[in-house]
Amino acid sequence: MKKRYRLITIIVACSVSLILTAFFLLVRQVDASIEQIIDQKLDQIMAIGHDNNGSASALPTALHSNPYDYTRNSVPFSHILKLGHAALPILQDKLSATKENGLKQYIIAIAIEDIAQVKLKSASSASWDTGKEFLTEWRQHLQHIPQRVAVIVNSKANKEQKAVQLIQLGLPAIPFILDQLELGHTEVLSAIQQLISSNRLETDHSTFSMEWLAANQSDYEELRQLVLRAALER
């Protein structure tokens, strides 16, 4: 009997291992596919984003045009935005890995802000003029999200004021706002609804019930990992 139980245990362990391996391989394949799309679209944007000297790494201030001109009404840039929050870790890694600090990095910073629905330049304490400067401000923003969500939710502000403040934290705050919802803070529901709507999900706004959010909460765990990872980089 002991041999039989041992055999069953080994079979179960092997099965779990195979399932986890297949899952992580699938995640890597999805990430690779997203990265390929990002690389392709960035190349298309950069094809028309060179300065007069043909340099792709000139600082935005040295360009003959505003960096936002390369993203405004740009079809390749809109394709990057449509990838949604799954593109955020990849874009951040690209910005972190390169030593360059020019137009391409600036465009990546714009993409992160647009997807995350965060405008760091609107914050009085935040200011960035290059992609690398943005990365520093972005990481600091991520690091403070869990604490800021808790402070906002437990403040004496009314429901509307809390919603505005939570929305300003952007998409990375979603899993932490959902945590507060699970704790019984139903006043945060409208903030979650608006953040998810801004994420371009093709979902009827009226379907954002407590049940729907509970069933789809796992879709936003990648954002939690993005925030927790930033906290480890302090």
Side-chain angles (χ1 to χ4, degrees):
M1 290 295 290
K2 288 184 178 179
K3 289 184 178 180
R4 183 180 177 185
Y5 288 139
R6 188 178 303 167
L7 179 61
I8 293 173
T9 302
I10 293 172
I11 292 173
V12 171
C14 290
S15 299
V16 171
S17 178
L18 287 171
I19 291 171
L20 289 175
T21 301
F23 172 77
F24 287 119
L25 285 173
L26 179 61
V27 170
R28 288 197 191 100
Q29 288 175 355
V30 171
D31 286 348
S33 176
I34 292 175
E35 186 170 11
Q36 288 173 358
I37 294 172
I38 290 172
D39 287 338
Q40 181 188 47
K41 300 308 174 184
L42 284 173
D43 286 344
Q44 291 175 6
I45 295 170
M46 293 303 298
I48 59 172
H50 295 286
D51 66 8
N52 292 329
N53 296 320
S55 171
S57 60
L59 289 174
T61 53
L63 294 173
H64 60 80
S65 186
N66 189 314
Y68 287 90
D69 290 342
Y70 296 107
T71 63
R72 193 177 295 113
N73 300 321
S74 167
V75 174
F77 187 74
S78 68
H79 285 164
I80 294 176
L81 299 187
K82 287 178 181 177
L83 294 172
H85 65 266
L88 289 176
I90 298 171
L91 289 166
Q92 178 179 302
D93 287 345
K94 286 187 176 298
L95 199 52
S96 177
T98 183
K99 293 182 179 180
E100 296 182 3
N101 197 20
L103 175 63
K104 187 174 184 178
Q105 289 68 47
Y106 203 105
I107 289 172
I108 291 173
I110 297 172
I112 292 174
E113 275 206 328
D114 284 358
I115 292 172
Q117 298 296 306
V118 172
K119 296 300 177 186
L120 296 182
K121 284 188 177 181
S122 64
S124 58
S125 61
S127 176
W128 61 274
D129 295 309
T130 69
K132 290 295 188 179
E133 288 179 358
F134 165 80
L135 183 61
T136 299
E137 298 289 349
W138 167 249
R139 282 175 171 162
Q140 289 178 357
H141 173 74
L142 293 178
Q143 290 165 2
H144 293 115
I145 281 178
Q147 180 184 5
R148 285 176 178 169
V149 168
V151 168
I152 292 169
V153 171
N154 292 291
S155 72
K156 295 182 179 180
N158 60 43
K159 183 170 70 173
E160 289 74 20
Q161 291 171 329
K162 288 182 180 180
V164 170
Q165 294 172 31
L166 290 171
I167 291 168
Q168 288 175 344
L169 297 177
L171 294 187
I174 287 179
F176 301 94
I177 302 174
L178 286 170
D179 290 345
Q180 295 295 328
L181 185 63
E182 287 187 350
L183 292 173
H185 295 282
T186 56
E187 72 273 16
V188 304
L189 185 59
S190 63
I192 296 173
Q193 291 173 335
Q194 292 186 59
L195 284 170
I196 291 178
S197 295
S198 70
N199 195 31
R200 300 172 177 81
L201 289 182
E202 294 181 4
T203 306
D204 184 353
H205 194 84
S206 63
T207 65
F208 291 123
S209 63
M210 296 283 287
E211 293 76 15
W212 186 93
L213 290 168
N216 292 273
Q217 185 170 359
S218 60
D219 293 344
Y220 297 93
E221 283 305 300
E222 191 172 17
L223 291 171
R224 186 191 302 276
Q225 297 308 313
L226 186 70
V227 172
L228 296 179
R229 188 173 132 200
L232 293 174
E233 293 171 345
R234 288 185 178 183

